């Protein structure tokens, strides 16, 4: 990536303005100090997001990009639809059985299901570039999913994510209800299903945010904030950008991996000790805590940073690929088929996605929003 004197980023020949500026209505310093991992932020009229993905792009992804699960999911009224209902055989010469069939997707959309296109930061060039810029600006890995919802429909029940998200409303309108967390700062090992009753109870109370996003609006939700969304009389297309930022547990996990190098912390416990008996455990625990304190006092920030550089827990340098992820340049834009026009204002009709999709490599996908 290079940057000109006007602060515009150029990635792979594409021009990408400051990605964070397109997601929030405040400056980066104010966003960091007041909102990041703290409080939601509603930003109205941020601009046009159709350059990132439009309904024509959804059409191309389904009918011309050979998608397979898990790059596609569908849900309706809080229930994830089994993939067998919209996938099938690849046909002659294709030894796979999970190809997305767009005619089946269209039928489910017509019945009120929500379509989720997952992992678009890996396969859709405008979003590959956008994700790369945002990752560098925030210093954290990001993922991007798209949600296409028919009129008068709801895909998912109220829930929280264990990572922060930006919601970018591309087209149409979608009504959002946001409630304060029932569990502060949850991490991936604390999914919302473990506190489903508390989530349902909180979602029935007065929301902190009750608003309808229209095209060009954006919403930031820190991890843990409950949310649900539904459409009224029109189709909605929005992007959800997952922000997989490191936490203090990231540092603790790194320290735990480093601790195996310390002989005193690898030492065994006395023969016959019952670790579940507090009285018997007390001397060994005191000795272990003392050894841990002594070892921690010897650790430097450089030691921890070196440990973290060995994993994929922080943003990588420009051009570096995460394990299992194609490096920049591995994704190429495919030309639009003749006759493709601008984004359609109305929702898709049967046959608008062209031929049935075939297959594509599986990728990394997460999140429901």
């Amino acid at each position: 990536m290079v940057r000109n004197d006007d602060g515009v980023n150029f990635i792979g020949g594409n021009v990408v303005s400051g990605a964070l500026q397109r997601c929030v209505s405040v400056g980066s310093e104010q966003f960091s100090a007041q909102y990041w991992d703290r409080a939601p932020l509603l930003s109205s009229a941020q601009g046009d997001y159709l350059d990132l993905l439009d309904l024509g792009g959804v059409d191309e992804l389904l009918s011309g990009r050979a998608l397979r699960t898990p790059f596609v999911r569908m849900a309706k009224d809080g229930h994830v639809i089994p993939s067998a209902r919209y996938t099938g055989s690849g046909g002659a010469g294709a030894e796979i059985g999970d190809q997305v069939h767009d005619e089946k997707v269209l039928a489910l959309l017509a019945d009120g299901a929500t379509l989720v296109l997952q992992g678009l930061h890996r396969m859709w060039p405008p979003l590959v570039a956008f994700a790369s810029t945002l990752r560098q600006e925030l210093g954290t890995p990001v993922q991007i999913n798209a949600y296409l919802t028919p009129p008068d429909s709801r895909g998912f029940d109220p829930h929280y994510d264990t990572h922060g998200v930006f919601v970018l409303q591309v087209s149409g309108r979608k009504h959002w209800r946001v409630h304060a967390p029932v569990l502060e700062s949850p991490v991936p090992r604390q999914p919302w299903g473990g506190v489903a009753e508390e989530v349902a109870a909180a979602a029935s109370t007065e929301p902190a945010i009750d608003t309808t996003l229209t095209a060009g609006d954006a919403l930031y939700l820190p991890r843990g904030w409950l949310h649900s969304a539904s459409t009224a009389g029109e189709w909605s297309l929005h992007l959800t950008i997952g922000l997989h930022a490191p936490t203090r547990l990231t540092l603790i996990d790194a320290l735990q991996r480093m601790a195996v190098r310390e002989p005193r912390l690898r030492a065994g416990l006395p023969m016959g000790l019952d670790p579940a008996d507090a009285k018997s455990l007390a001397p060994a625990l005191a000795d272990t805590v003392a050894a841990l304190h002594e070892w921690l006092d010897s650790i430097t920030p450089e030691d921890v940073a070196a440990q973290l550089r060995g994993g994929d827990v922080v943003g990588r340098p420009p051009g570096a690929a995460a394990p299992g992820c194609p490096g920049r340049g591995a994704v190429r834009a495919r030309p639009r088929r003749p006759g493709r026009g601008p984004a359609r204002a109305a929702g898709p009709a049967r046959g608008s996605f062209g031929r049935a999709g075939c297959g594509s490599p599986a990728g990394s996908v997460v999140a429901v929003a």
Side-chain angles (χ1 to χ4, degrees), residues 53-246:
L53 180 71
D54 58 19
L55 289 173
V58 174
D59 188 334
E60 180 175 334
L61 283 163
L62 279 177
S63 63
R65 286 303 183 95
L67 294 185
R68 296 168 57 187
T69 57
F71 278 119
V72 172
R73 278 193 315 157
M74 300 196 75
K76 180 182 178 183
D77 296 331
H79 300 284
V80 175
I81 297 173
S83 61
R85 292 185 59 188
Y86 52 87
T87 61
S89 170
E95 298 179 0
I96 56 174
D98 63 346
Q99 295 185 35
V100 174
H101 289 194
D102 58 356
E103 73 277 8
K104 296 181 180 180
V105 170
L106 284 168
L108 289 169
L109 283 169
D111 191 43
T114 289
L115 168 68
V116 188
L117 296 169
Q118 305 194 126
L120 295 181
H121 59 289
R122 290 176 176 264
M123 70 172 105
W124 188 246
L127 290 176
V128 173
F130 186 79
S132 176
T133 303
L134 188 61
R135 179 173 184 157
Q136 293 173 57
E137 292 177 358
L138 297 179
T140 184
V142 303
Q143 68 171 84
I144 303 180
N145 298 343
Y147 293 74
L148 178 64
T149 304
D152 303 308
S153 301
R154 173 178 62 87
F156 298 96
D157 285 335
H159 64 279
Y160 64 73
D161 294 314
T162 58
H163 55 268
V165 297
F166 289 124
V167 176
L168 308 182
Q169 187 69 28
V170 177
S171 63
R173 299 161 62 89
K174 202 163 196 180
H175 183 239
W176 288 76
R177 289 171 57 89
V178 177
H179 294 80
V182 298
L183 179 65
E184 184 177 353
S185 302
V187 293
R189 66 194 74 169
Q190 298 172 307
W192 74 274
V195 288
E197 292 184 2
E198 292 90 335
V199 168
S204 67
T205 64
E206 190 72 18
I209 295 177
D210 190 350
T211 190
T212 296
L213 297 186
T214 61
D217 292 344
L219 176 64
Y220 168 70
L221 295 175
R223 56 196 168 117
W225 281 76
L226 312 183
H227 53 277
S228 61
S230 60
T231 56
E234 60 184 300
W235 289 79
S236 167
L237 175 64
H238 79 263
L239 300 171
T240 292
I241 303 172
L243 310 169
H244 296 268

